[in-house]
Amino acid sequence: DNRRGRVRNGLPALVRWLVAGEGLRPSSVPLAVTIVDIMLGSDPGRSERRAAQELLSDILLLGCSVGEYRTVVAALRGQLALLGPREVDWLAGAMDVQLLNAVPEPRLRDEFCTEALGIAVSWFGRLSRTDAILLKSLFADVGLEFGVPSDDDVAGASPRGLQSFACVGIYSLSESAAQNAGRWIGAKWPDVEVRLSHAHSNSSELESFVGASDVVLMQTSHAKHAATRAIENSIEEARLVRVNGRGATSLFRGLLDWAASDAPRFGELVV
């Protein structure tokens, strides 16, 4: 009815309130599942999809029942046929959040990823090489093969790349996200060392981590704190890549986009 627009506009604000501070509370998981189901079942736009994905991340981090997981996966699957290549980040994030956390029914996750593969393959000719590399890494984690298109089958020019770099540093409070991103970087560039840091405050170890890294991917997610400020104060802007999204896909995309950009640097990573 005529209240629909107000509810749709308000739900993302409610999500931000639910996950603010220390994040979603365990007692709020059933409510969060209902909100995800409503948002994805009501002709969502990008803001609703993004808010639902953020809420799903906290739901899986805290843990949910099999029934609750079935509800959110059904809501995710309902979106697949509606997505276009511009929503590749959302598709990657929906897979990523299920791979980063233990899920109560892995079979459902794998079925979702298999359906997602079919959607991604239909986007050939409209994907950038960066998007294709990102999807290839994700699908490989569930044993699915996604071929990277040739130069003739990608949208836009091929990015420049990452060669002659000795070390990529990843700063994230999510150890699983940093480890997954580090594994993808290592698979793509075997000669590049990957260092991880999850520090909450400044320290000699954090300073050493920054100093040894040719480029630092800094994932802030929700807010800055003492460690992120220390990193910003001890590194040149050209060597710092700020990553605002959650998950391994955000970190990996941050590096791929930085490698493809015209940002000044002293080495190249070939994509």
Side-chain angles (χ1 to χ4, degrees):
D1 58 24
N2 59 4
R3 296 170 295 178
R4 177 182 175 86
R6 186 179 306 173
V7 172
R8 281 190 52 179
N9 292 337
L11 282 174
L14 176 59
V15 169
R16 288 193 293 272
W17 175 78
L18 281 171
V19 301
E22 297 299 318
L24 189 69
R25 295 183 295 274
S27 60
S28 299
V29 167
L31 172 62
V33 169
T34 299
I35 293 174
V36 169
D37 192 29
I38 291 172
M39 282 197 293
L40 295 183
S42 303
D43 190 24
R46 286 192 176 187
S47 62
E48 289 86 11
R49 286 195 181 110
R50 192 178 303 114
Q53 189 179 105
E54 183 174 5
L55 200 51
L56 176 61
S57 176
D58 280 2
I59 290 170
L60 295 181
L61 182 63
L62 289 172
C64 61
S65 69
V66 171
E68 289 167 339
Y69 182 61
R70 288 174 178 171
T71 297
V72 295
V73 171
L76 293 173
R77 291 172 81 168
Q79 294 301 299
L80 292 178
L82 306 176
L83 300 177
R86 291 186 178 182
E87 282 75 42
V88 64
D89 276 347
W90 188 86
L91 179 65
M95 293 172 57
D96 192 15
V97 71
Q98 295 181 74
L99 294 172
L100 284 176
N101 301 282
V103 297
E105 197 163 357
R107 175 186 59 83
L108 282 181
R109 178 201 61 202
D110 295 346
E111 289 177 357
F112 174 82
C113 291
T114 300
E115 290 184 34
L117 176 62
I119 298 299
V121 168
S122 73
W123 293 343
F124 263 41
R126 294 178 290 171
L127 286 175
S128 70
R129 181 169 295 280
T130 295
D131 289 336
I133 292 171
L134 182 66
L135 290 173
K136 181 180 177 68
S137 299
L138 266 171
F139 285 121
D141 276 5
V142 288
L144 298 172
E145 185 175 350
F146 180 78
V148 176
S150 67
D151 290 341
D152 294 334
D153 294 326
V154 296
S158 297
R160 297 180 355 187
L162 292 168
Q163 292 172 31
S164 70
F165 266 63
C167 181
V168 172
I170 300 177
Y171 175 81
S172 174
L173 295 181
S174 171
E175 294 189 24
S176 56
Q179 288 168 357
N180 278 3
R183 181 163 46 79
W184 296 345
I185 293 168
K188 180 66 181 172
W189 301 287
D191 295 332
V192 174
E193 178 187 0
V194 179
R195 293 194 176 193
L196 309 181
S197 174
H198 317 292
H200 287 259
S201 59
N202 193 13
S203 64
S204 57
E205 289 79 10
L206 184 65
E207 292 175 358
S208 175
F209 159 80
V210 173
S213 302
D214 294 322
V215 58
V216 173
L217 309 176
M218 184 177 73
Q219 190 169 45
T220 57
S221 290
H222 288 302
K224 293 184 178 181
H225 45 77
T228 59
R229 288 191 291 270
I231 292 172
E232 289 178 327
N233 291 335
S234 59
I235 191 172
E236 301 92 334
E237 193 67 25
R239 292 170 52 215
L240 179 63
V241 180
R242 294 176 177 83
V243 179
N244 294 319
R246 295 185 179 189
T249 54
S250 295
L251 288 163
F252 195 39
R253 174 176 288 283
L255 181 62
L256 291 170
D257 287 343
W258 179 83
S261 73
D262 293 325
R265 50 187 179 270
F266 47 86
E268 293 293 330
L269 285 172
V270 175
V271 177

